[in-house]
Every structure is written in C-alpha cells, then in structure tokens.
Amino acid sequence: MADSNFIDYVKVLCRSGKGGAGSRHFYRAKYVPKGGPDGGDGGRGGHIILRGNKNMWTLLPLKFRRHIFAGNGQSGSGGRSFGKDGDDVIIDVPCGTVVFDAETGEFLCEVQDDGQEVKLLRGGRGGLGNWHFATSTNRTPRYAQPGEPAIEKSVILELKLLADVGLVGFPNAGKSTLLSAVSAARPKIADYPFTTMEPQLGIVSYRDNRSFVMADIPGIIEGASEGKGLGLRFLRHIERNAVLLFMVPADADDITAQYNVLLEELRHFNPQLMDKHRILAISKSDMLDEELMDEIAKTLPADIPHVFISAVSGQGITELKDTLWRAITDDANRLATVDIVHRPLDGHHRVREEDEFIFEQEPTADDAEEAEDLQSIDPNTWGDPDDFWDEESSVNDN
C-alpha cells in the first residue's frame, strides 16, 4: 500500500488563525484637545474549511501536506480602522470524507456532497478597540481586547466510498471477477489470495438506462478483527452502502459457515452493519448442476435471499441485478446510501503508521511574537473576559 495512490486514511495538523488585537489609540488633531478613544477592532483569524470535491477519489494530496495553517487577523489601528481578517484555508476532499479527533478518536464532522463546506476549525475573533469601552464615567479607556487565540488540533481524515452495493467475501471468492463482468471496471484478477489491495468502484448498468454503484474491497479472513490478513481496514468503505452482497464460492467446504464468519467480522468492526440489507451470492456456480444447487440451497440461511451466479458464463447475473435493484430501491423507491452513526476510532479502526506520525516544525517568527505578547499581558488588567466578549458586538463571526 506504500506505493499506491489510493490513500484513504491520513493524519494532519490544523491550526486556525488567531484574532488580531484591538487598538488602544486616541484621536489626536490640532485644535482637538480631547479627541477621545478611536482604536479599531482587530480582524478575525482565518477558518479551516473542508469542501467536498466530486472529482477527487483519494486523500493523496494531504499525504504531503501535513501542516495546514490559516492566516492570522491583523491588529486594529487609529481612526477606528479595523484590522484585516486572516485568510481562510479551504481543503478539497473527496465526497465521503469523515473527520476524527486524532487524540480522542471522537467523530467531528463529515463531507458527503460536492461543494459542501464544513467549518472544521473556527478562527479566533478579533479584539475590540478601546472606543467600545468608552462610557460617561470612563471617557479615556486605556485598554482594548486581545484577539482570541488560534485553535490547533490534530485530526484524522478517513475516506469512506459512496456506493450502493458493497462486496464482502474471502480472498479469491470471485468479487473482482463479478465487478469486471457487470461494469466497465478492470480490477486486477489472479489465482492467488489478496489480489485486490485497494477498493474498486464500478457502475453497473441496469434496465431503462438506470445504474447503480458497486464497491469491491480486499478480501477478509477469519481473525481479521485481530489484524490477520489485511485486517478490517477496508471495511470502512462499505459502511455507507445500502446493500451488502456476500460472496461465497460454490466449492467451499461449508458455505453457511463461511457466511457466518464474514458476518462475525463485520459485527466486530461496526455492529450497525448488521442492520443493512444482505444478499448471498454463490459464485462459480457453473460447476454445479441443478441437483447440486437444490441440495446446497437447503443448507443456506433462511433469513437471507441467495442467488447462484457465474461471472464467467453469465449464469444468474440478470437475476442478481434484479435482486440488488429491488433491495436498493426498497426505501421510498429510490437509490440511496444509508446514513450511519460513525463509530469512534479505536484500536480496530486506526492505522498505526499514521497514528505514530510526529509533526515536526521549526518555530516561526509569528510563534515567537505570539508567545511574547501572551507573556506581556497582565491578566488582572482585563477583568472578567465575559464583560469584553459580547456576542452582540460588531465582531463578525462568519
């Protein structure tokens, strides 16, 4: 996976911009001996914004952009001149990107639609100038607000592909062969396990110019929840699917037992996957006759529809498409992906090399200046911060 361009899990360090300080300026002009306070407000810091982009299919650009910092707001000046707002940073991500807190694993937000914008980190509000604090009893306020500090957070971006049908099966169960037979996708096909090393998407044509999207993920084996094989890393890509298509080859020793093993691994990954509509496809059925298929059908689970298929000969492919289409359009007769409650990241869902990534950055001049400013502020000078930060003030939080 190190040489692959398909990156679906990446850890980055984000920092919004800090707000500019308000000015403590007083108006001075000839023949105006008491001009009064006219210090302007500081500009707000820049936001970190995520934007969905339907033309992206991987998080590869962020693999080489580990530090994402927004611009700081400028300080206010005399004449009630407001400081300039910090520049926002817009990060384009593929549709289906989910964001977690890298420290706690808590779900933060997700981007599903093209053009959808989500404010990941809010920039600090600019401080109010001293003209805001002039009153009848305090006509020369010699203080102003400092800007709000920046917000820094390490986040994990996880890509979950948007598809209607997800293929689940052991290695060499015929998943890639089926995807290549029913769509224009050309996944790698070979006679050894774990041929598929990254998820593949294919658009399956149906009657009357209709279509649906099918996702193929690398095969999983018994014990995948404990890290065997490729583990459960790629199961995130079927969490959004409306239908799960389990594939078990006809030459398996016990088809029902293999199906139960796959079901148990999905339950370990996310119990909510148990609520999805499931269909069982018996692949490589061209080696069976009618009598054998009838005997096998009697041993299959009764609570799940099954179809005998062969991607090579085309047997059962039309029936499979019909079954999938009925399952996909069952809810309100339209194609839809199922909304899910995103489970927090834990040991089963994390990628070790990303979690152990250390952000190394040399301190900048702005960092040194900010530290010096914070040291020079006397907390006793400002009083209660709630008296200064007023939601009804002129500070624009947009």
Side-chain angles (χ1 to χ4, degrees):
M1 290 299 295
D3 298 330
S4 173
N5 287 332
F6 183 80
I7 303 297
D8 59 354
Y9 188 102
V10 67
K11 178 181 178 182
V12 295
L13 177 66
C14 297
R15 183 196 297 166
S16 62
K18 65 178 180 180
S23 174
R24 294 174 289 176
H25 190 268
F26 289 88
Y27 180 74
R28 286 179 171 81
K30 194 175 183 180
Y31 308 120
V32 185
K34 298 181 180 180
D38 69 342
D41 302 343
R44 70 156 176 86
H47 304 312
I48 302 293
I49 300 174
L50 300 179
R51 180 173 62 191
N53 187 339
K54 65 180 180 181
N55 297 318
M56 294 182 65
W57 61 278
T58 175
L59 296 172
L60 180 64
L62 294 177
K63 188 75 172 180
F64 307 101
R65 188 186 176 190
R66 297 291 191 166
H67 301 89
I68 301 176
F69 298 155
N72 295 326
Q74 294 184 0
S75 301
S77 56
R80 297 191 183 183
S81 297
F82 288 14
K84 180 183 177 182
D85 291 342
D87 294 330
D88 297 334
V89 175
I90 298 179
I91 310 170
D92 284 331
V93 295
C95 299
T97 299
V98 184
V99 184
F100 298 91
D101 189 314
E103 302 298 330
T104 64
E106 178 188 3
F107 166 75
L108 298 178
C109 63
E110 64 177 327
V111 180
Q112 294 189 19
D113 304 319
D114 181 51
Q116 176 187 358
E117 293 188 356
V118 176
K119 188 184 295 182
L120 179 60
L121 296 180
R122 183 180 64 85
R125 291 179 293 183
L128 301 179
N130 62 345
W131 70 277
H132 284 279
F133 307 108
T135 64
S136 59
T137 57
N138 184 14
R139 297 185 179 184
T140 58
R142 301 183 182 277
Y143 51 83
Q145 274 185 323
E148 277 189 329
I151 302 175
E152 183 174 290
K153 187 184 291 291
S154 296
V155 298
I156 289 177
L157 283 79
E158 189 179 72
L159 175 60
K160 299 181 180 180
L161 296 179
L162 298 173
D164 303 302
V165 179
L167 300 180
V168 182
F170 283 82
N172 282 11
K175 302 186 299 297
S176 298
T177 305
L178 174 64
L179 184 66
S180 64
V182 299
S183 72
R186 292 296 175 262
K188 184 178 180 180
I189 300 174
D191 58 354
Y192 55 84
F194 299 110
T195 307
T196 301
M197 296 296 291
E198 60 187 43
Q200 301 284 338
L201 286 180
I203 299 177
V204 181
S205 299
Y206 192 62
R207 298 187 179 95
D208 301 327
N209 294 323
R210 293 175 292 183
S211 63
F212 57 89
V213 180
M214 181 178 289
D216 175 26
I217 64 171
I220 58 178
I221 61 176
E222 186 175 4
S225 57
E226 302 172 0
K228 294 183 179 180
L230 294 179
L232 300 179
R233 172 176 177 179
F234 296 103
L235 281 180
R236 70 171 68 99
H237 296 295
I238 62 173
E239 281 188 299
R240 297 182 186 274
N241 300 164
V243 181
L244 300 182
L245 178 61
F246 289 78
M247 295 191 62
V248 181
D251 57 356
D253 295 334
D254 190 335
I255 295 177
T256 302
Q258 287 200 11
Y259 166 74
N260 290 330
V261 169
L262 294 171
L263 205 60
E264 184 66 16
E265 295 299 330
L266 263 63
R267 187 186 66 80
H268 275 290
F269 180 77
N270 188 351
Q272 192 179 2
L273 292 175
M274 299 296 97
D275 300 331
K276 292 183 178 293
H277 194 98
R278 302 190 296 270
I279 298 173
L280 177 60
I282 315 302
S283 61
K284 306 178 184 179
S285 296
D286 51 341
M287 65 179 67
L288 305 177
D289 55 20
E290 292 291 338
E291 184 177 353
L292 277 176
M293 284 192 286
D294 292 339
E295 291 296 327
I296 293 175
K298 295 177 182 178
T299 65
L300 299 179
D303 59 340
I304 177 175
H306 62 270
V307 182
F308 288 89
I309 65 170
S310 172
V312 176
S313 65
Q315 173 188 346
I317 297 299
T318 301
E319 180 184 356
L320 177 63
K321 288 183 179 182
D322 292 338
T323 304
L324 291 174
W325 185 261
R326 287 194 297 268
I328 294 170
T329 59
D330 181 56
D331 185 14
N333 256 356
R334 64 182 179 84
L335 288 170
T337 54
V338 178
D339 293 331
I340 63 173
V341 178
H342 297 283
R343 74 288 179 278
L345 288 179
D346 56 24
H348 292 303
H349 310 108
R350 289 182 177 267
V351 179
R352 178 178 300 177
E353 58 267 26
E354 288 295 323
D355 285 344
E356 295 177 352
F357 184 86
I358 300 176
F359 298 104
E360 295 181 355
Q361 183 195 18
E362 295 295 331
T364 62
D366 290 339
D367 295 334
E369 180 182 352
E370 181 178 1
E372 184 178 350
D373 291 344
L374 291 176
Q375 291 177 357
S376 63
I377 295 176
D378 182 4
N380 299 323
T381 305
W382 306 108
D384 187 0
D386 293 337
D387 295 338
F388 292 138
W389 289 116
D390 184 4
E391 295 293 342
E392 300 298 326
S393 67
S394 61
V395 177
N396 185 6
D397 190 32
N398 296 323

